[in-house]
Amino acid sequence: MQAPGGRSHEVVVLGGGIVGLACAWRIAQSGLRVVVLERDEPGGGASGVAAGMLAPVTEAEFGEEALLRLNLEGAAVWPAFAAELAERTGIDLEFRASGALAAAADRDDVGELRRLYELRKGLGLETEWLTGRECRRLEPGLSPRVSGGMLASGDGHVDPRAVTAALCEAIRREGGEIRSGVEVDAIEESGGAVTGVRTGGELLSARTVVAAAGAWTARLGAGAPPVRPVKGQILRLRGTAGDQLAARIIRTPRCYVVQRPGGEIVVGATVEEHGFDVTVTAGAVHRLLEAAWEVLPDTEERELVEARAGLRPGTPDNRPIVGPAPMPGLVWATGHYRNGVLLAPITGAAVARIAVGDDPPPEFAPFSPARLERGERLAGSPA
């Protein structure tokens, strides 16, 4: 089928979140004709709710060494990616290598953060343990109860909504197309290979389909991997550029706080297994505000302007699924869980390579869909 204006599409990207848009932009730059199909509006899912942390060090957990390596590589490409995207579109992404401070608000926090500090130090990550006084010297707004903390100077953040807007603009400038409010009924195939997608009564032909549908991946059929929605509630408070609550990302075992250059303050986030429910609950709002207040007391003076819930795409092993499917012409780019913003640039580049017929980069080998076909799916994963 031909798109409006008489142009056919070689690649269809399913999903207009940051990952799908990054894939589409890099694919369009490679010279292929691409269209993005989004069930809502671009960034209307998890990307529009995310805090935008680029924090591989303070996100590192036990048993996630393979993911950590990918996250570090993802963080390393962000400065160049942000500079290129801003230059091509004129949109400020509010990218900042601000650093992050994980603060201990009580004795239990000290024990937990100390264990994580030893883990991260043992992995060779750039991190430093600080006393409470040293923490407050860096961040005067911290509560006097903070008795210690872990500094990760290389972590940072970006505004996902600005990134979404910039990617949409960049795709259009490269000749790509974005269609909003489009529900995909099925991925079409013939002779065992992808031929396109069906939306309503329309068949959109393409030689390659990139499935970047996030939490909705399992609904696509075509042997979709076991991706499930993981609910996260998040708050936004009003601040001003000159009224700084904290210069760095501030984290505790119960919350994180990110202040954007324009003053907006983001407080998140819950982790809930409630299916596709996106209800904002009073209990979650209370717990997040209380957790932010205990480490940054001035939070209580800020105006609460937004409370939202989004759905992260989770996988049984908490690792993304990126690479070609067994069916020729189908590429999965999903399951990024809490690292979608961080990994969008590196995922986009990898998927563009696959779309032009090259092999995936070697760093994505542990995240191939083939690991699920080999029976590496964890016990208890969705059928």
Side-chain angles (χ1 to χ4, degrees):
M1 174 181 176
Q2 289 196 327
R7 300 178 62 204
S8 62
H9 296 108
E10 295 165 286
V11 182
V12 176
V13 176
L14 308 182
I18 284 180
V19 169
L21 294 172
C23 293
W25 182 36
R26 292 310 194 196
I27 290 168
Q29 286 182 314
S30 74
L32 298 177
R33 293 180 295 276
V34 61
V35 58
V36 178
L37 305 182
E38 166 55 40
R39 62 191 300 277
D40 190 352
E41 294 289 333
S47 297
V49 183
M53 290 190 296
L54 311 174
V57 176
T58 50
E59 286 280 335
E61 298 284 349
F62 290 93
E64 294 186 350
E65 287 78 4
L67 179 59
L68 170 62
R69 289 191 291 271
L70 186 68
N71 286 346
L72 290 170
E73 294 191 35
V77 305
W78 250 103
F81 179 86
E84 180 185 359
L85 189 55
E87 180 183 2
R88 290 177 181 268
T89 65
I91 296 174
D92 180 9
L93 310 185
E94 297 198 356
F95 168 75
R96 298 292 187 275
S98 61
L101 179 63
D106 57 34
R107 183 172 297 179
D108 289 341
D109 286 357
V110 171
E112 181 172 346
L113 293 181
R114 271 290 188 182
R115 286 191 293 274
L116 288 171
Y117 169 73
E118 295 299 334
L119 165 71
R120 294 161 186 173
K121 199 70 175 176
L123 291 170
L125 301 178
E126 182 185 352
T127 185
E128 178 183 1
W129 185 264
L130 304 178
T131 65
R133 181 174 296 178
E134 289 170 331
C135 289
R136 283 185 291 277
R137 188 177 300 129
L138 291 178
E139 295 289 352
L142 288 175
S143 167
R145 68 192 294 177
V146 171
S147 58
M150 178 172 41
L151 177 66
S153 299
D155 285 357
H157 57 92
V158 71
D159 183 354
R161 295 176 178 180
V163 176
T164 297
L167 284 170
C168 289
E169 177 64 20
I171 291 166
R172 294 186 182 104
R173 291 191 181 197
E174 293 289 344
E177 183 185 358
I178 300 171
R179 297 188 187 181
S180 301
V182 177
E183 290 277 1
V184 174
D185 295 327
I187 296 173
E188 295 289 314
E189 59 90 16
S190 178
V194 162
T195 57
V197 298
R198 185 170 298 280
T199 64
E202 181 182 24
L203 177 63
L204 186 61
S205 300
R207 76 175 196 197
T208 302
V209 172
V210 176
W216 289 267
T217 297
R219 297 184 175 184
L220 295 175
V227 177
R228 73 189 190 284
V230 182
K231 180 180 178 180
Q233 299 187 55
I234 196 167
L235 313 177
R236 283 178 167 79
L237 314 179
R238 193 185 309 281
T240 64
D243 182 20
Q244 192 171 72
L245 190 68
R248 295 162 183 80
I249 300 169
I250 304 297
R251 305 186 68 142
T252 77
R254 290 164 297 285
C255 76
Y256 57 73
V257 181
V258 181
Q259 184 160 16
R260 307 220 187 279
E264 179 185 69
I265 300 161
V266 183
V267 180
T270 65
V271 178
E272 307 170 55
E273 300 280 356
H274 288 319
F276 286 91
D277 170 48
V278 290
T279 304
V280 174
T281 64
V285 173
H286 171 73
R287 288 191 297 273
L288 288 173
L289 289 175
E290 183 178 51
W293 170 83
E294 73 176 353
V295 69
L296 290 165
D298 286 350
T299 301
E300 69 178 0
E301 301 296 331
R302 278 25 182 218
E303 178 187 359
L304 176 62
V305 295
E306 183 180 86
R308 286 186 62 185
L311 301 173
R312 310 174 186 91
T315 63
D317 57 9
N318 292 328
R319 291 188 287 169
I321 300 169
V322 178
M327 182 187 298
L330 178 59
V331 182
W332 298 110
T334 186
H336 290 78
Y337 192 31
R338 64 181 188 267
N339 296 303
V341 177
L342 172 63
L343 294 177
I346 195 171
T347 299
V351 169
R353 280 183 52 164
I354 298 168
V356 299
D358 293 337
D359 292 330
E363 60 265 29
F364 277 91
F367 310 99
S368 167
R371 76 181 191 270
L372 303 175
E373 299 300 320
R374 292 193 299 264
E376 294 182 30
R377 186 176 302 172
L378 300 186
S381 65

